[in-house]
Amino acid sequence: MSSTFEAEVIAVMEQNKAGEDIHKASLSDAEKAEIEREFAHYEDKASVGLEALRIVQKHRGWVSDESLRAVSAYLDIPVAQLESVATYFQLIFRQPVGREVILLCKSASCWIMGCAHLQKKIQEKLRIKPGEITADGLFTLLETPCLGDCDNAPVMMINGEMHRHLTEATVDEILDNKIKTHRAKGSCHAGPDTD
Amino acid sequence: MPTITIDGKNYQAEEQENLLSVCLTAGINLPYFCWHPAMGSVGACRQCAVIEYKNTDDKHGRLVMSCMTQVREGGIYSVDATRARQFRGGIIENLMTNHPHDCPVCEEGGECHLQDMTEMSGHTMRRFRGRKRTHRNQYLGPFINHEMNRCIACYRCTRFYRDYAGGTDLQPLARNNQVYFGRHEDGLLENGFSGNLVEVCPTGVFTDKTFSKHFVRKWDLQSAPSVCEHCAVGCNTAPGARAPGNGKDPILRRVVNLYNRDINGYFLCDRGRFGYDYVNSEKRIKNVLVACEKNIISSTAAPGERIHGEIHPEPAVKHLARHLAEVQQGRRRLIGIGSPRSSLENNFALRELVGKNNFFSGLSARDLQLLQLVDRTQRDARIHCPTTPEIESADAILILGEDIDNTAPRVALAVRQAARNRQKRQAQQLQIPLWQDASVRQLRVEASPIFFIGLEKPRLADITSATLLGTPEQTALFADSIAQLILGDDTGARKLAPDCRAQVEQVANTLRQAENPLIISGCGSRSSDIIHCAGKIAATLADTSSSPCSLYLACPEVNSLGLTQFFPAGEGDLEQLAHTLEIHSGTPCTLIVLENDLYRRADRHTVERIFNSADAVILIDTLLNNTARHADLIFPAAATAESQGTYINSQGTAQRFYAVCEGASYIQESWRWLVDAANFCKQKSPQLATIAAWRHSMDLSEALAANFHQFEVLEKIGPDENYRLNGLKIARQSHRYSGRTALGAKAQVAELPPHPDPDAPMTFSMEGIQSPAMTPLSAHIWSPGWNSNQSIIKFQQEINGHRLGVRGSVPIRRQPQPLPEWQLAASVPAKTSKTLTAVPLYRLFGSGELSVGAAAIASVTDIPFAQISREDAQRLDVTAGDIGQLQLGGESHTVEIRISDAQPPGTVGVPSGLPGLETLAALLPAPAQLERRSDREPGETP
């Protein structure tokens, strides 16, 4: 047998599924660092998918096709699989959302306590339907099945902050305050913010 | 074996079986959606609910999902209980709230499992009056239609596509009422088994787009058992054909799977399913063509190429008969060139006509030697050719230099299942029955060992334990050291670099310890060393375990192994033919080429020597090709679906296929043209008289059986044309076949008798045996209440068992012969800086000669390209996407340059058989040169 066997030419490819030609959209260093911190909690990289999407959404407001591909390339999981996760969870946004995401609870308790009126109020005030963004890019209204705060019904959550025992008047006040704050910051005519 | 009671009747059930399988095996009609015989149960659809009673005192019982219920000794169940029936009806009613009312315009209608189950559950009225949810559909490529509104969310599609076939681009998206099965974005489904979605989907979400172009209902299709001609695996198919009714030619309209437990089971690859359309292609030869004498102004034919016109067959056959007469008078030589893509019968007829010394294989010496080596290897008693279920149960697999994903796709799908064997064993230890699909797949167990060594990273790489990439020489060296190491000799391994040595040791140890090791290789690398090594490893493993070792050797074409049987070692190749013709140049010579494009088989020089030495070239073929340009006379040959015959697959199994429809115009089986010519000969030698007397395809099968001991089995495969069941032939048309009078009305208002079939025990008619239960010769899989392909379970001995009735696939009987002693020659690959070695790459769409004639496949076939390593790209100063000029064996081709990290340096990958590069396939591997050019577009002929 020949002794001219060139071992270095036989490339040993141990389960590296990263394709050569996958378009590498980039994640920021901060995003990567946060995603890497999650690796410790899971058995494999693929399981970090959901957390990675949350992290990207935290930084970018929503998950665009490019962001989805970037996460897919970074975690080495098929983009369709990631899309499957992203579209399963209601709070992963695959469309741009406003700076303030209003989650209006529509559970049984909130319904008894009149959330339908609140919804009408919000829709009329902001001139949006559920799933839409206000023209100034400030608000998105979403319905949600239950926020788990039934004893304080009706409730809504705006960007993670709970608002309880709502009435049409308090809703009005909360929204006005939000608008005022954003006007002060000068960010309300910027349109949907996607960075 | 537990005894159970269903609705008061006792049944014997298999241990550990689920109740749904038991019911279906017992012939009880119990509706289901998500369960699939090959994929087991997940309990997703809730359709198969039955009542289970605790004991005889329990009068109430509880609802259970039969697919998720393991039978227990003494179990008492009811399928018929009102509560169970109501529940199942409720499930259907719920599914129907969103299902559109579009059955009359849905292509699934008439063979829809959802329709069948709806009928079965008695849900005949719609009460729901609300809005239905609607989806946007996706473009999924030229093969599959997508109509998501019809979805009932049974998850079968993704369970097949993702879990069973390893696809990654079809996923369940969203949730609740919005669940959507689709891709991330519009685009071709990437997996090569996507066509099975058409059959796996219980309703009309995924339908066959090529069929849409000439759609008719299932019951209007004429069908017969056939064998896929697009590779050598030999999958069984049920093609469907029907005349258009406008006086035009009959159309072969689609191909669906025909269950054969040992080969294809329930699944086909996309080349096999969608390749049929070549039969309807514009390149189809339908009439006799003759070369015109005079030159035509502004013709594009190159020097030596002929221009043809149609003639009536009679003068053409008489012309051939005159040549035969001259041969008998000794004034002319007759040479026959056979083909690996034609049946045994056609090849045999030509061999008998020209005499065995004048019959050549139509293959280059290299190809024929490779096939003879495969044949020789399989003759060793220590070698076992595995069936698909055996491949699926192998506990260690070594794939040597064969890109089975593209050369034997159905085998690759079986290998993918074998990767789960450790997981399955773990499940058995945990007492989880294997049909509990989701539970078994959740077990986190290391994949079963599958090693791949070859040229290009395979699709299977996601399930292999190691993927090693190297040139064919390196693959052979690696394999040889494995064989040595199994015997305990590490001289070969010691010469390897440490990481390679570790790999060799791991592979050798794994194979040695395996209970069912399997070696897979074949002609793909075009290296006899690799086949020798594969045989050596298998033989060594057999010696150490003293039982035969499984070795699957993939052949390139549907009847490669059958053609090989006609030639003793070292005889019958094209180079020899070129040589012989030149020696005997004195006598005029007629060349009959049977279904073969010689330019794909040997280098241009050899082919031109052959054509130049013959003064008449007669081609019998299906599609116009390069050889046709040089033929004086072209006879239209029947395609597989239009003819009867026998193919020998890579396992050495003989399979009979039957005509689905009559060919258009003057198309007939190749052997009939030869018999016709023999009949026109007034003076007949005894040999010619025998040929002239052939009337039926079975006459040839019987003659083959009498002349070749390995073909003795041919007499036993399927009955002859005189076979009758209850006095009737088997009907190719269903009992609901419509418009038989109207179909031919354009030509003749009177209803003519059906076209006679002299070959098969079948009729081109509705009259005859309809039941697939009575004979496997019926390809129309249908049972009362079961209009979809799911009805196959009615015709199996047990779920996933053999089809009821006599089997049409029988292994040929070859004389056992031990493998010859063989040593791997020490080879030092000469490396010069400029020369690259061109090596073959295979593509599911593109490498098949006939399938690229199908419009849908042609639309996704790659442009000519050449693939090199990054290192060579730097040296040659080229970048990916550059237009290059590939010089190979005296030919020059314009190609797109591609760069791959996996391509071994020093090699250039050339797609085998790809349109535009088809003349290169026979030359590989060969030295080649590649350089950049920028003035031409790829695909443009130089």
Side-chain angles (χ1 to χ4, degrees):
Chain A
M1 187 163 121
S2 162
S3 59
T4 58
F5 192 72
E6 291 156 286
E8 71 277 10
V9 182
I10 283 198
V12 179
M13 300 194 31
E14 287 280 16
Q15 288 299 349
N16 180 11
K17 274 177 273 170
E20 293 86 33
D21 306 321
I22 291 176
H23 167 65
K24 298 256 191 226
S26 57
L27 296 177
S28 72
D29 290 341
E31 288 167 332
K32 283 182 190 166
E34 279 182 58
I35 293 170
E36 260 157 45
R37 242 172 279 143
E38 295 295 329
F39 287 157
H41 302 300
Y42 296 93
E43 276 188 45
D44 54 32
K45 270 174 126 183
S47 311
V48 184
L50 177 58
E51 286 309 316
L53 290 172
R54 278 163 52 104
I55 291 164
V56 168
Q57 179 164 301
K58 192 179 83 186
H59 286 268
R60 308 182 183 196
W62 65 292
V63 181
S64 66
D65 284 357
E66 290 70 32
S67 308
L68 195 77
R69 283 194 206 102
V71 175
S72 152
Y74 187 65
L75 296 180
D76 193 15
I77 53 179
V79 66
Q81 188 181 327
L82 207 58
E83 181 82 286
S84 177
V85 174
T87 52
Y88 181 85
F89 291 100
Q90 196 198 358
L91 296 184
I92 298 289
F93 306 134
R94 288 286 283 113
Q95 287 173 26
V97 289
R99 304 204 132 213
E100 305 282 349
V101 178
I102 307 167
L103 296 175
L104 181 69
C105 183
K106 300 200 74 181
S107 70
S109 310
C110 291
W111 177 69
I112 291 168
M113 299 303 286
C115 69
H117 298 292
L118 298 180
Q119 181 165 356
K120 195 164 167 250
K121 171 78 195 167
I122 297 170
Q123 289 188 194
E124 277 169 6
K125 185 175 172 67
L126 300 178
R127 274 175 267 157
I128 49 171
K129 280 185 272 184
E132 291 177 353
I133 315 179
T134 49
D136 58 6
L138 260 191
F139 294 100
T140 291
L141 172 65
L142 293 176
E143 299 168 329
T144 188
C146 186
L147 288 168
D149 208 4
C150 300
D151 52 335
N152 296 312
V155 297
M156 70 177 177
M157 183 188 264
I158 302 182
N159 278 12
E161 187 192 344
M162 285 297 287
H163 300 272
R164 304 181 170 97
H165 302 295
L166 295 172
T167 62
E168 286 182 43
T170 52
V171 165
D172 221 17
E173 191 191 327
I174 293 164
L175 295 180
D176 282 339
N177 278 339
K178 290 279 178 196
I179 294 168
K180 225 180 280 169
T181 324
H182 280 284
R183 285 226 174 111
K185 281 200 276 178
S187 59
C188 77
H189 290 289
D193 199 343
T194 54
D195 57 21
Chain B
M1 246 194 186
T3 306
I4 60 167
T5 310
I6 303 172
D7 291 319
K9 272 170 105 180
N10 286 345
Y11 296 91
Q12 294 283 312
E14 288 290 326
E15 206 78 46
Q16 279 216 331
E17 195 49 273
N18 67 69
L19 185 56
L20 176 61
S21 297
V22 174
C23 287
L24 295 172
T25 309
I28 299 169
N29 284 342
L30 178 55
Y32 64 87
F33 289 114
C34 64
W35 176 84
H36 186 282
M39 296 190 284
S41 316
V42 286
C45 71
R46 320 313 277 173
Q47 187 58 58
C48 63
V50 297
I51 304 277
E52 179 176 25
Y53 301 91
K54 271 189 215 141
N55 47 45
T56 42
D57 297 334
D58 182 4
K59 296 287 174 247
H60 190 68
R62 65 186 185 108
L63 272 175
V64 295
M65 296 309 132
S66 64
C67 72
M68 300 298 277
T69 305
Q70 189 174 329
V71 291
R72 55 182 171 84
E73 177 58 47
I76 306 168
Y77 311 95
S78 174
V79 173
D80 260 350
T82 314
R83 208 149 51 91
R85 297 176 72 96
Q86 279 173 348
F87 182 86
R88 296 196 298 260
I91 293 290
I92 286 277
E93 184 163 22
N94 181 38
L95 295 178
M96 283 298 165
T97 57
N98 277 324
H99 191 79
H101 305 202
D102 68 344
C103 295
V105 296
C106 171
E107 291 183 8
E108 193 80 358
E111 54 178 325
C112 175
H113 189 61
L114 179 59
Q115 278 182 334
D116 291 348
M117 297 301 107
T118 306
E119 280 285 310
M120 199 176 283
S121 69
H123 172 71
T124 49
M125 282 293 294
R126 291 182 192 249
R127 292 185 292 171
F128 179 70
R129 289 288 174 267
R131 281 173 75 83
K132 290 174 186 282
R133 63 107 175 82
T134 49
H135 286 298
R136 243 182 233 117
N137 301 318
Q138 287 183 321
Y139 168 78
L140 299 177
F143 302 126
I144 313 256
N145 295 310
H146 195 216
E147 178 45 75
M148 261 308 296
N149 291 341
R150 296 175 185 145
C151 182
I152 55 163
C154 71
Y155 284 74
R156 262 186 171 194
C157 54
T158 47
R159 286 178 62 219
F160 170 76
Y161 192 86
R162 189 182 57 187
D163 300 348
Y164 196 91
T168 56
D169 59 331
L170 181 77
Q171 295 280 348
L173 305 171
R175 60 172 181 174
N176 296 347
N177 216 18
Q178 274 81 41
V179 171
Y180 187 94
F181 296 88
R183 296 186 82 248
H184 160 61
E185 58 194 355
D186 283 16
L188 174 72
L189 283 169
E190 290 159 9
N191 193 278
F193 297 94
S194 65
N196 293 297
L197 293 174
V198 173
E199 293 191 53
V200 163
C201 175
T203 177
V205 177
F206 301 99
T207 49
D208 183 338
K209 204 182 257 184
T210 66
F211 185 32
S212 303
K213 295 214 163 70
H214 34 235
F215 178 78
V216 295
R217 295 284 172 204
K218 176 185 180 179
W219 62 74
D220 281 338
L221 286 169
Q222 182 170 288
S223 193
S226 191
V227 173
C228 176
E229 66 268 50
H230 300 295
C231 84
V233 173
C235 293
N236 291 199
T237 57
R242 183 180 167 93
N246 57 3
K248 294 204 174 134
D249 297 334
I251 305 167
L252 187 65
R253 292 171 189 260
R254 71 159 175 190
V255 159
V256 292
N257 184 70
L258 186 63
Y259 180 80
N260 180 327
R261 193 199 78 132
D262 287 345
I263 299 173
N264 46 309
Y266 305 89
F267 306 118
L268 297 177
C269 77
D270 288 355
R271 188 199 282 181
R273 185 180 299 270
F274 303 116
Y276 72 90
D277 220 6
Y278 81 92
V279 170
N280 311 314
S281 106
E282 284 178 4
K283 282 163 94 184
R284 189 71 202 276
I285 305 166
K286 293 182 179 171
N287 292 294
V288 181
L289 303 176
V290 66
C292 302
E293 294 300 322
K294 53 177 184 277
N295 278 329
I296 291 173
I297 296 163
S298 82
S299 133
T300 55
E305 293 182 355
R306 319 293 303 267
I307 301 186
H308 298 87
E310 283 177 18
I311 53 163
H312 191 268
E314 194 176 314
V317 172
K318 279 184 173 158
H319 180 79
L320 177 55
R322 267 198 304 281
H323 283 225
L324 294 183
E326 285 174 28
V327 171
Q328 290 188 74
Q329 292 152 8
R331 291 192 285 130
R332 183 173 277 278
R333 286 193 78 200
L334 190 60
I335 299 288
I337 298 181
S339 169
R341 63 171 160 88
S342 189
S343 67
L344 282 181
E345 284 77 3
N346 287 334
N347 277 296
F348 177 70
L350 182 58
R351 183 182 183 269
E352 292 304 290
L353 184 74
V354 300
K356 71 174 182 189
N357 295 329
N358 295 320
F359 182 59
F360 291 82
S361 68
L363 297 173
S364 68
R366 172 150 41 184
D367 280 316
L368 190 57
Q369 275 161 19
L370 285 173
L371 286 169
Q372 282 170 336
L373 180 58
V374 167
D375 183 48
R376 184 72 203 272
T377 309
Q378 291 178 342
R379 284 170 190 249
D380 191 300
R382 295 169 294 176
I383 304 294
H384 170 68
C385 296
T387 62
T388 296
E390 283 168 344
I391 294 171
E392 287 171 353
S393 64
D395 57 353
I397 300 178
L398 171 64
I399 305 168
L400 286 172
E402 186 71 26
D403 181 8
I404 48 172
D405 290 294
N406 294 304
T407 61
R410 186 61 188 84
V411 172
L413 189 62
V415 167
R416 187 171 285 283
Q417 311 317 310
R420 297 182 56 225
N421 282 332
R422 281 195 182 161
Q423 193 180 50
K424 287 179 183 167
R425 198 180 306 164
Q426 169 87 352
Q428 280 164 326
Q429 280 163 6
L430 294 169
Q431 303 273 309
I432 304 172
L434 295 181
W435 46 261
Q436 282 277 15
D437 194 52
S439 314
V440 178
R441 284 185 191 274
Q442 258 173 30
L443 296 174
R444 288 200 173 241
V445 185
E446 205 191 343
S448 284
I450 295 170
F451 304 99
F452 177 90
I453 312 172
L455 250 176
E456 204 177 12
K457 191 178 155 195
R459 268 179 193 263
L460 283 173
D462 61 329
I463 52 128
T464 53
S465 0
T467 301
L468 299 142
L469 301 174
T471 63
E473 292 80 33
Q474 288 165 335
T475 305
L477 272 176
F478 194 87
D480 195 51
S481 352
I482 294 170
Q484 289 178 15
L485 210 57
I486 292 170
L487 281 173
D489 170 10
D490 66 346
T491 40
R494 264 191 285 132
K495 288 179 193 159
L496 304 178
D499 59 337
C500 273
R501 196 188 311 160
Q503 290 288 336
V504 168
E505 280 164 8
Q506 194 200 346
V507 176
N509 283 335
T510 312
L511 289 176
R512 209 165 26 198
Q513 285 159 15
E515 280 172 37
N516 296 310
L518 165 66
I519 317 297
I520 296 175
S521 189
C523 306
S525 294
R526 299 173 61 81
S527 153
S528 57
D529 285 352
I530 292 180
I531 300 175
H532 270 300
C533 288
K536 196 167 155 187
I537 295 175
T540 317
L541 285 169
D543 289 338
T544 50
S545 70
S546 60
S547 62
C549 177
S550 293
L551 170 64
Y552 191 94
L553 293 173
C555 296
E557 276 158 284
V558 64
N559 199 24
S560 290
L561 207 53
L563 178 70
T564 312
Q565 305 302 320
F566 291 113
F567 301 97
E571 284 181 30
D573 58 70
L574 286 175
E575 287 85 346
Q576 262 180 26
L577 172 60
H579 183 67
T580 327
L581 284 175
E582 281 169 353
I583 292 175
H584 298 94
S585 55
T587 347
C589 175
T590 301
L591 201 62
I592 304 181
V593 184
L594 171 72
E595 301 180 33
N596 208 335
D597 177 7
L598 301 187
Y599 286 94
R600 296 178 77 102
R601 306 293 181 185
D603 62 282
R604 192 173 289 273
H605 178 61
T606 306
V607 178
E608 270 158 18
R609 271 166 69 204
I610 293 171
F611 284 147
N612 291 339
S613 323
D615 68 334
V617 177
I618 295 169
L619 174 70
I620 314 175
D621 211 342
T622 47
L623 298 182
L624 289 170
N625 54 32
N626 286 332
T627 297
R629 294 177 202 274
H630 296 267
D632 299 284
L633 203 53
I634 304 172
F635 289 102
T640 305
E642 298 155 350
S643 58
Q644 179 171 333
T646 316
Y647 291 142
I648 312 290
N649 74 1
S650 293
Q651 297 163 300
T653 301
Q655 300 199 90
R656 175 84 25 91
F657 55 93
Y658 296 92
V660 172
C661 59
E662 281 288 303
S665 287
Y666 292 111
I667 290 171
Q668 62 174 352
E669 280 123 320
S670 300
W671 65 266
R672 290 196 196 272
W673 289 113
L674 305 178
V675 170
D676 287 349
N679 273 309
F680 271 112
C681 251
K682 290 201 185 77
Q683 297 291 317
K684 290 190 187 73
S685 66
Q687 179 73 353
L688 213 52
T690 320
I691 294 170
W694 285 332
R695 288 287 169 273
H696 313 291
S697 177
M698 277 304 281
D699 293 343
L700 283 101
S701 309
E702 281 158 17
L704 270 158
N707 280 287
F708 295 87
H709 63 88
Q710 58 266 58
F711 295 144
E712 274 166 20
V713 294
L714 255 59
E715 252 183 319
K716 298 185 191 110
I717 312 174
D720 66 13
E721 67 282 355
N722 297 318
Y723 177 77
R724 297 290 182 278
L725 255 174
N726 299 343
L728 293 167
K729 281 185 149 195
I730 290 101
R732 284 185 172 91
Q733 298 170 356
S734 79
H735 59 293
R736 280 201 260 169
Y737 195 85
S738 62
R740 67 174 180 184
T741 322
L743 258 184
K746 176 132 190 186
Q748 175 108 24
V749 177
E751 188 188 342
L752 299 174
H755 203 96
D757 185 341
D759 297 324
M762 298 168 191
T763 61
F764 292 107
S765 140
M766 302 158 69
E767 282 94 20
I769 299 297
Q770 303 277 3
S771 168
M774 289 173 74
T775 167
L777 291 173
S778 175
H780 198 77
I781 304 301
W782 179 89
S783 176
W786 295 76
N787 297 292
S788 81
N789 58 5
Q790 306 289 311
S791 52
I792 188 65
I793 52 168
K794 298 275 178 188
F795 314 115
Q796 294 170 338
Q797 289 172 3
E798 59 197 347
I799 302 288
N800 295 333
H802 281 294
R803 173 116 183 242
L804 289 170
V806 187
R807 265 191 281 164
S809 314
V810 184
I812 54 170
R813 250 183 249 125
R814 286 173 281 182
Q815 200 68 42
Q817 239 178 330
L819 275 173
E821 277 297 311
W822 173 85
Q823 287 291 323
L824 183 63
S827 61
V828 185
K831 245 191 165 182
T832 57
S833 59
K834 272 272 170 93
T835 325
L836 296 160
T837 306
V839 286
L841 306 177
Y842 293 90
R843 294 294 179 263
L844 187 64
F845 305 131
S847 292
E849 180 182 356
L850 296 176
S851 59
V852 293
I857 288 188
S859 73
V860 292
T861 298
D862 218 333
I863 54 167
F865 70 91
Q867 186 170 290
I868 52 173
S869 66
R870 207 163 288 282
E871 196 181 307
D872 287 323
Q874 274 171 7
R875 190 171 54 77
L876 296 168
D877 188 27
V878 292
T879 48
D882 279 354
I883 305 304
Q885 200 64 28
L886 180 72
Q887 314 276 353
L888 206 166
E891 294 195 36
S892 179
H893 289 272
T894 308
V895 291
E896 184 186 283
I897 296 175
R898 302 214 178 136
I899 295 170
S900 162
D901 287 329
Q903 189 73 32
T907 63
V908 49
V910 176
S912 177
L914 200 78
L917 299 178
E918 65 268 35
T919 53
L920 297 183
L923 313 178
L924 305 171
Q929 283 190 353
L930 183 66
E931 59 196 23
R932 180 177 49 196
R933 59 177 295 169
S934 47
D935 54 326
R936 279 177 202 266
E937 291 296 310
E940 197 181 314
T941 43

